[in-house]
Amino acid sequence: MIFLNINNLNVSIEGKKILNDFNITINEGEVHALMGPNGSGKSTLANVLAGNEDYEVNSGKVIFKDVDLLDLNIEERAQKGLFLAFQYPVEIPGVNITPFLHASINSKLKNEKKPEIDNLSFTKLLRKNAEELGISSDMLKRSINTGFSGGEKKRYEILQMSILNPEFAVFDETDSGLDVDALRIVTEGINKFKNPKNSFLIITHYQKLLEYIHPDYVHVMRNGKIVKSGDISLATEIEASGYQNF
Amino acid sequence: MTFENNFINHSKEYIFLDNDILSNQRKKIFKKIIQKNYDKKNNESLKNITISDLSKFNYFYKPIQEKSQVSLIDDFNYEIKVVNGICKNYEDDNIEIRNLTSLDFKSFLNQDNSNVDDIIIDFNKIFLNSGFFFNIKSNTKLHIRLIHDTSDNFTIFQNNFINFKKKSEVQLEDHFNLTNNSINNINYNISIEEYAVIKHNIFQNFANSNKLYLTSNTVCEKNSSYNQNTYNFSDGFVRNFHHAYLNGEFSNASLYGCFFLKNKNVCSNKTNIIHNAENCVSDQTYKGILNDYSKANYYSNTFVSENAQKTEGYQLSKGILLTDNCSFFSKPELKIFADDVKCSHGSTIGPVDESALYYLRSRGISKNEAMKMIISSFIEEDLQNLDKDIAEKISNNLSDYLNCLVK
């Protein structure tokens, strides 16, 4: 089974080409990091994978667990096991965290033809996972991301991931706006969740995040395509001399 | 039937007939309507309404008192059924309820003048066929559920007076059970005496063939509080025009409203708060969700008179447009003649927040469910301020509305 294979993906927005014959293969259990200068197309890739309808896919394929993701809508992709941790998680006043996440997990379970999780079991699971991430039970009574600090928003993204248990998670510049302590909490959450069955694509500008996460592969993206791939040493090279050599 | 025929043929059915002053007033108004003597461009009462449409109706009214009821659920909990504009006369230690009599004419004439040039009030005056008077006694703590039952084809032109005496604490609920093809032009005159605290919940949900024109004028005396919440789920035309006068210092009034429209529904809203005394607070917030080809307007007005120092007056309107074909016109207005005031207004109208929709869908929630969550969240915080029963009723109606629109 192909876990994730992106083949010659071309994407544009308002007529401007952003991804240009983009290719990558990610196997089960692997952690890939994607680095690149501003405007190279990293966030576009994350959004296209999640199904954001603002982008126009001109050509290419995104095979995930033997299915072309491009044939699925946003929610079907999530139900299939894809998770996008947003760079800027949206505040949704009035939509409470707990029923929202309960509905999310049940939609996934329903899609997998598994029995839905009842209120009580869900509340227990949510509290347990929240506690592990240092999220207070008071916060679980609040509206999605509303009034959260930058760190709280990112921690809440990790909480959602831990509940939804995706097979493939994309982190879009999750380190942006985080202080050192928040970064450590978030990366600990990711590391805790890592197992041989799930894979990650970590989009970042900074080596610091990768020091905590230890990716198997590091890719450099420029002008909508990967221009170099390697291991963590590539991140060290970028940290030292920037993207001018790529 | 033409407007002239309605007016002339049924003239014996109107109340206060024996009064010359009103008789002359009626004649003048009749002439004004016939001549269409209104400023059609700027008259807020004519937004989304035409004089011709208003004038075309079949006047039909027969007072039936037998079915009207006053039920005591317990010592402080009343259910009052007003049938075709008529209520049952009743009195106990807490409340006096009676239909209008010629004795009330003076109150009728002394109504405020902010409704000048309101065509709906003009219609109410000339066709006036019913009305009641409630007197809620001092120091009482009551819950009153008022049910307006209107039978098929009835045209109700009603003028009601409610006096909340000193230190009364009342939750008043208005429910409209309208059957078919009815016209309900109802004008409330509410007087709130010192230290009285009134919560007024108005619930509107009726079939397409009915029309409801609801107007209220509330006068607040010193240290009193008036909190009005209007929820409109109706398929038929609704006009909500509500005015409040803060005449006593340290009084407050809040006029909240939510409407949920679909198909070709039209709803016209106005709130108007006049600050006549110092240290008063007002809040006007209307929210609407519009689908299909529906249309709404909302005028909010705050007037702060010269002597109303230390006023706080806030206005807000919010709308979600679910299609490109619906429209919501909002016009806030503040007239401030005092210099030590805190006032604000804001208006946000637009489609459902796409980024919120994307976020929810990216967690596996279907587009329909995500839409429902976002729309429900729009009024979620308002429901928290309501009693459990009415909040539940509104939630159920909202679910029905959402199930209809998200197919």
Side-chain angles (χ1 to χ4, degrees):
Chain A
M1 182 183 76
I2 296 172
F3 185 77
L4 180 83
N5 177 254
I6 302 177
N7 189 11
N8 288 336
L9 186 64
N10 287 283
V11 173
S12 56
I13 184 164
E14 290 168 359
K16 192 185 172 197
K17 200 163 187 181
I18 311 282
L19 295 187
N20 189 6
D21 280 335
F22 183 90
N23 292 286
I24 196 171
T25 298
I26 296 175
N27 295 311
E28 209 171 51
E30 288 178 355
V31 178
H32 289 239
L34 190 60
M35 303 180 81
N38 293 331
S40 57
K42 304 183 300 297
S43 290
T44 296
L45 176 70
N47 277 291
V48 168
L49 288 175
N52 190 324
E53 289 157 353
D54 290 343
Y55 297 89
E56 192 187 337
V57 177
N58 306 117
S59 62
K61 281 189 171 185
V62 180
I63 305 298
F64 177 56
K65 295 196 295 178
D66 292 339
V67 171
D68 193 345
L69 273 188
L70 302 178
D71 294 336
L72 306 181
N73 67 26
I74 304 167
E75 55 269 31
E76 287 167 341
R77 295 178 197 206
Q79 289 161 3
K80 183 93 183 139
L82 185 136
F83 180 87
L84 170 63
F86 284 73
Q87 184 178 2
Y88 302 110
V90 186
E91 293 192 10
I92 314 180
V95 179
N96 187 277
I97 283 172
T98 305
F100 151 66
L101 255 186
H102 193 188
S104 293
I105 190 168
N106 276 340
S107 72
K108 188 167 184 259
L109 291 169
K110 201 173 164 187
N111 184 260
E112 290 166 355
K113 298 192 169 47
K114 289 180 184 165
E116 293 184 6
I117 183 167
D118 62 68
N119 249 330
L120 191 66
S121 314
F122 175 74
T123 309
K124 275 186 190 168
L125 173 72
L126 184 65
R127 281 197 185 152
K128 182 181 144 282
N129 289 15
E131 203 177 311
E132 284 174 9
L133 283 164
I135 295 173
S136 69
S137 53
D138 271 356
M139 197 166 142
L140 301 177
K141 292 176 191 157
R142 286 159 66 179
S143 300
I144 298 171
N145 295 319
T146 309
F148 288 12
S149 67
E152 283 175 330
K153 282 181 183 171
K154 299 297 165 74
R155 254 191 284 177
Y156 179 53
E157 294 286 285
I158 304 291
L159 174 65
Q160 291 181 55
M161 180 183 71
S162 75
I163 295 289
L164 296 173
N165 196 15
E167 285 153 283
F168 179 49
V170 180
F171 280 78
D172 186 11
E173 296 190 32
T174 221
D175 45 351
S176 69
L178 291 190
D179 62 33
V180 183
D181 294 333
L183 184 65
R184 190 176 38 77
I185 292 167
V186 166
T187 50
E188 274 175 12
I190 296 172
N191 285 334
K192 205 169 201 172
F193 184 69
K194 253 190 337 192
N195 68 48
K197 287 277 174 198
N198 56 31
S199 307
F200 292 83
L201 178 64
I202 312 284
I203 295 170
T204 183
H205 275 295
Y206 305 107
Q207 188 199 4
K208 191 81 190 160
L209 176 81
L210 302 181
E211 278 174 13
Y212 288 118
I213 290 184
H214 310 295
D216 302 303
Y217 300 94
V218 174
H219 309 277
V220 180
M221 194 171 172
R222 214 165 177 154
N223 298 325
K225 61 166 76 176
I226 289 174
V227 289
K228 192 165 184 182
S229 297
D231 58 17
I232 187 79
S233 62
L234 201 52
T236 316
E237 191 186 330
I238 292 166
E239 190 75 9
S241 50
Y243 294 108
Q244 58 194 358
N245 299 332
F246 300 97
Chain B
M1 199 180 282
T2 64
F3 174 70
E4 291 91 328
N5 286 342
N6 276 327
F7 185 67
I8 295 156
N9 295 352
H10 299 277
S11 59
K12 285 182 184 160
E13 293 160 26
Y14 313 142
I15 57 174
F16 305 137
L17 269 180
D18 47 351
N19 193 287
D20 290 342
I21 303 171
L22 186 60
S23 191
N24 287 332
Q25 268 194 11
R26 276 180 163 140
K27 279 176 196 160
K28 275 186 195 165
I29 295 169
F30 174 75
K31 212 170 156 188
K32 187 180 172 191
I33 294 172
I34 289 288
Q35 293 173 346
K36 298 191 175 177
N37 196 9
Y38 293 86
D39 175 1
K40 291 178 203 96
K41 203 177 167 192
N42 299 310
N43 190 312
E44 293 174 352
S45 74
L46 280 167
K47 183 79 180 171
N48 288 325
I49 295 175
T50 66
I51 300 175
S52 313
D53 283 350
L54 273 177
S55 306
K56 271 184 236 153
F57 67 98
N58 291 327
Y59 183 92
F60 177 71
Y61 184 74
K62 276 182 197 163
I64 314 164
Q65 194 153 5
E66 294 80 55
K67 287 182 186 171
S68 53
Q69 277 175 9
V70 176
S71 317
L72 255 82
I73 313 297
D74 57 45
D75 286 353
F76 308 102
N77 211 338
Y78 293 72
E79 187 169 287
I80 301 166
K81 198 175 259 189
V82 177
V83 181
N84 299 324
I86 301 290
C87 66
K88 190 179 171 185
N89 294 346
Y90 172 91
E91 186 167 4
D92 64 17
D93 292 344
N94 298 321
I95 190 168
E96 179 197 356
I97 300 165
R98 60 174 173 78
N99 291 293
L100 286 193
T101 67
S102 53
L103 296 173
D104 300 304
F105 179 73
K106 209 175 164 192
S107 311
F108 182 74
L109 268 195
N110 287 343
Q111 289 179 94
D112 75 280
N113 55 9
S114 71
N115 294 321
V116 169
D117 235 23
D118 183 337
I119 191 165
I120 299 301
I121 295 302
D122 286 345
F123 270 75
N124 185 285
K125 270 187 183 155
I126 61 170
F127 291 108
L128 187 69
N129 53 24
S130 57
F132 56 72
F133 175 89
F134 287 1
N135 189 22
I136 287 90
K137 298 180 183 176
S138 298
N139 296 301
T140 48
K141 195 172 177 181
L142 303 181
H143 182 283
I144 303 169
R145 190 177 151 87
L146 183 57
I147 300 162
H148 302 259
D149 271 358
T150 305
S151 312
D152 284 1
N153 306 315
F154 266 69
T155 51
I156 307 291
F157 294 89
Q158 193 185 52
N159 212 306
N160 304 322
F161 295 86
I162 306 184
N163 290 342
F164 295 99
K165 294 288 185 189
K166 275 185 191 173
K167 293 186 183 173
S168 56
E169 203 176 307
V170 179
Q171 179 166 320
L172 173 68
E173 279 177 26
D174 266 298
H175 298 261
F176 294 88
N177 286 344
L178 314 180
T179 50
N180 287 300
N181 299 314
S182 68
I183 291 176
N184 303 267
N185 184 332
I186 299 172
N187 187 27
Y188 270 118
N189 300 281
I190 299 170
S191 154
I192 303 176
E193 292 190 1
E194 289 177 20
Y195 295 96
V197 178
I198 312 305
K199 204 166 188 182
H200 188 183
N201 298 324
I202 301 168
F203 186 78
Q204 301 158 338
N205 188 358
F206 48 81
N208 179 271
S209 58
N210 299 287
K211 291 186 173 87
L212 171 65
Y213 306 94
L214 184 67
T215 312
S216 70
N217 299 284
T218 303
V219 178
C220 297
E221 296 303 340
K222 191 177 171 184
N223 285 299
S224 66
S225 169
Y226 178 65
N227 172 222
Q228 183 190 73
N229 297 283
T230 305
Y231 287 88
N232 171 17
F233 290 94
S234 306
D235 285 333
F237 177 87
V238 178
R239 182 190 102 140
N240 278 304
F241 272 33
H242 302 291
H243 312 262
Y245 300 81
L246 296 170
N247 287 357
E249 56 178 350
F250 296 102
S251 58
N252 69 75
S254 42
L255 304 174
Y256 292 106
C258 282
F259 52 87
F260 305 85
L261 306 183
K262 56 182 186 289
N263 304 323
K264 289 183 177 173
N265 293 358
V266 179
C267 145
S268 178
N269 307 285
K270 176 178 173 170
T271 57
N272 176 27
I273 296 187
I274 294 115
H275 285 258
N276 286 328
E278 283 190 1
N279 291 299
C280 296
V281 181
S282 70
D283 195 353
Q284 300 167 66
T285 301
Y286 264 61
K287 295 179 181 178
I289 297 173
L290 299 98
N291 195 28
D292 304 319
Y293 290 84
S294 56
K295 248 199 295 195
N297 58 272
Y298 173 51
Y299 296 98
S300 54
N301 298 266
T302 307
F303 180 91
V304 183
S305 66
E306 214 176 346
N307 55 341
Q309 299 295 354
K310 302 202 184 307
T311 282
E312 284 183 43
Y314 307 104
Q315 293 180 17
L316 180 66
S317 70
K318 279 179 160 186
I320 294 183
L321 306 176
L322 297 173
T323 68
D324 292 339
N325 301 312
C326 52
S327 65
F328 181 11
F329 173 85
S330 172
K331 186 181 168 197
E333 202 172 271
L334 294 121
K335 287 182 184 163
I336 301 168
F337 296 95
D339 48 19
D340 184 10
V341 300
K342 270 199 265 181
C343 287
S344 69
H345 67 85
S347 184
T348 50
I349 299 166
V352 168
D353 180 355
E354 286 294 332
S355 59
L357 202 57
Y358 172 46
Y359 188 86
L360 296 178
R361 292 178 72 193
S362 77
R363 300 304 184 243
I365 291 173
S366 71
K367 191 176 179 179
N368 287 353
E369 283 305 313
M371 286 276 276
K372 285 184 188 178
M373 281 183 178
I374 293 168
I375 293 171
S376 303
S377 73
F378 193 62
I379 63 158
E380 190 59 37
E381 56 181 335
D382 306 312
L383 295 186
Q384 286 166 9
N385 300 324
L386 296 174
D387 276 11
K388 202 180 156 197
D389 287 356
I390 192 120
E392 205 172 289
K393 186 169 179 169
I394 290 158
S395 288
N396 292 339
N397 277 272
L398 178 61
S399 294
D400 292 345
Y401 173 80
L402 293 173
N403 288 337
C404 279
L405 70 91
V406 183
K407 287 150 196 158

